[in-house]
Amino acid sequence: MPSELATQPAIAAPPLWYRDPISCLQATFGTVLAHHGENPLFVLGAGWEFLYIPDDVRPEEFYYPCRYDGDLGRGLAPHHSLNSSWWRPSDQDDPLRELRRALSEQRLVIAAVDNFHLPFRPAFGDVHAAHLLVVHGLDEELGLVHVSDAMPPAFQGPIPVEDFLRSWGSVNPEDEQDAFFSESRIQQRCLSVTVDAPYPDLTRERLAGWLRANLAGFEQPDTPVGWGGTAGLDRYTRELTSRARAGETSALRSLYTFGWGMQAQAALHGELLRDRGAAWNCPGLAEAGRAVESVAHAWTALRMTGAHGFGAPAEVADDLRWHAGVLRGRYAEALASVERAVGEL
């Protein structure tokens, strides 16, 4: 057993943070933000955009299109000083060294894992799927890793270090029971997150500035990394329908994964606007929040249609086109509603 900081007590268990329909990506970042005393909704709900990066979607629950060279924190929270970076152990003779050091410095770590090897996940011993959780303690004398996972069924507590290592280093093989999040090597990846807190108080003026920036982003047809704005949305849905009609299974596989990020973002942004609309007695802002949430609901229909048509893409092409039209209409309504709300602020 390594002697350096061999026994690391758990950091005080961080608050579990979850919203439906976010993924483990937003849940883990939300947990870290809450641990720092910040309101995750105010941070993760501030930005709203459309961004699709062709050939970038990976079969992981935590995939998110990122324009900032791997800095998922900046991508998730473009209006806040939130940054993150991926890392892997530098020494396979002591793979826990960096994790041990981070915890000794009271820094939470987000780890990529395979649900198949986690005893508290329903998929334990049954289904392989790439997932994220928060590590907040390591006790090598007892052979335990303390983890927090807000995704239902929520869990917070110790697991055997052997289970963690198997999950953290899993090859995550292709699994017919989960066609969307298997076949992506975990590779002992971790995320270090930097929260430059405390953040300024959320005011009407600050929120109005965020909304103007978000609206301007939707008017930009392209970005240096992919398809952006409403023009990018139109381009994406046209190509999705065309590829499905041509029988391309990969188009539907990536839809389910990519769409989750866009859906989660819209859900959080909509909730933030509803929350502040109620708190500040701004009916137009609350109405805009409901309109943005309707975008999230429209993503559900498109994603589920793709998932159920995974085995026969051409047969669901017309349904995908119809749901894509509904989604585009919801975006248009929500953008117009947000623009009106800016005037109210």
Side-chain angles (χ1 to χ4, degrees):
M1 179 186 301
S3 59
E4 179 191 10
L5 304 171
T7 302
Q8 172 60 48
I11 298 171
L16 293 172
W17 191 80
Y18 173 77
R19 294 291 196 277
D20 195 20
I22 65 174
S23 77
C24 57
L25 176 64
Q26 292 82 17
T28 50
F29 270 85
T31 292
V32 173
L33 286 164
H35 173 71
H36 282 268
E38 298 297 326
N39 185 327
L41 180 63
F42 289 6
V43 180
L44 300 178
W48 184 39
E49 66 174 351
F50 177 85
L51 176 64
Y52 174 71
I53 305 175
D55 303 319
D56 182 63
V57 183
R58 297 175 296 279
E60 301 164 337
E61 285 184 33
F62 45 89
Y63 171 77
Y64 192 84
C66 186
R67 67 177 76 228
Y68 302 111
D69 193 23
D71 189 344
L72 285 170
R74 188 177 175 190
L76 290 169
H79 304 303
H80 293 78
S81 295
L82 178 69
N83 299 97
S84 67
S85 59
W86 287 103
W87 58 267
R88 296 173 59 194
S90 59
D91 182 2
Q92 284 304 308
D93 291 332
D94 183 11
L96 296 173
R97 176 182 297 170
E98 289 88 353
L99 184 63
R100 189 184 306 119
R101 172 62 65 184
L103 295 170
S104 75
E105 296 171 355
Q106 297 293 294
R107 291 186 287 114
L108 297 175
V109 173
I110 298 175
V113 289
D114 178 358
N115 282 331
F116 184 91
H117 300 288
L118 295 176
F120 60 88
R121 295 299 303 177
F124 179 55
D126 184 29
V127 180
H128 291 275
H131 182 59
L132 293 178
L133 51 70
V134 175
V135 179
H136 62 95
L138 174 64
D139 188 332
E140 292 180 273
E141 288 188 352
L142 295 179
L144 299 173
V145 178
H146 295 258
V147 301
S148 292
D149 188 350
M151 293 297 288
F155 174 84
Q156 192 166 67
I159 62 173
V161 68
E162 293 85 0
D163 289 334
F164 174 77
L165 288 172
R166 277 192 292 269
S167 184
W168 191 36
S170 172
V171 298
N172 190 26
E174 182 178 6
D175 193 323
E176 292 182 357
Q177 296 186 87
D178 195 323
F180 305 105
F181 305 128
S182 63
E183 202 180 2
S184 177
R185 296 177 65 89
I186 306 301
Q187 298 179 311
Q188 296 178 317
R189 285 175 288 166
C190 282
L191 277 167
S192 291
V193 181
T194 302
V195 181
D196 189 10
Y199 297 126
D201 291 338
L202 178 53
T203 63
R204 292 180 182 230
E205 293 76 16
R206 184 162 287 115
L207 180 57
W210 296 347
L211 298 184
R212 291 189 189 98
N214 295 343
L215 290 170
F218 274 100
E219 294 177 357
Q220 297 175 5
D222 291 300
T223 76
V225 296
W227 307 347
T230 54
L233 172 65
D234 290 340
R235 184 177 178 183
Y236 169 75
T237 53
R238 284 196 304 268
E239 180 175 278
L240 172 67
T241 302
S242 175
R243 293 176 63 189
R245 202 175 304 281
E248 292 189 36
T249 299
S250 60
L252 302 194
R253 184 181 192 185
S254 65
L255 162 64
Y256 189 81
T257 306
F258 161 71
W260 200 354
M262 297 295 98
Q263 179 181 35
Q265 182 194 60
L268 292 177
H269 189 59
E271 183 183 348
L272 171 62
L273 301 191
R274 279 196 304 103
D275 177 90
R276 291 300 85 192
W280 296 338
N281 192 27
C282 295
L285 189 62
E287 180 182 349
R290 288 190 292 270
V292 176
E293 285 177 319
S294 74
V295 171
H297 299 319
W299 272 110
T300 298
L302 188 64
R303 291 178 65 226
M304 293 305 108
T305 299
H308 287 292
F310 184 66
E315 295 180 10
V316 298
D318 287 340
D319 290 335
L320 287 171
R321 183 174 59 83
W322 190 86
H323 285 298
V326 172
L327 176 66
R328 182 62 177 86
R330 296 286 174 82
Y331 267 101
E333 293 167 1
L335 289 167
S337 186
V338 170
E339 188 170 9
R340 289 193 297 271
V342 171
E344 185 181 58
L345 290 172

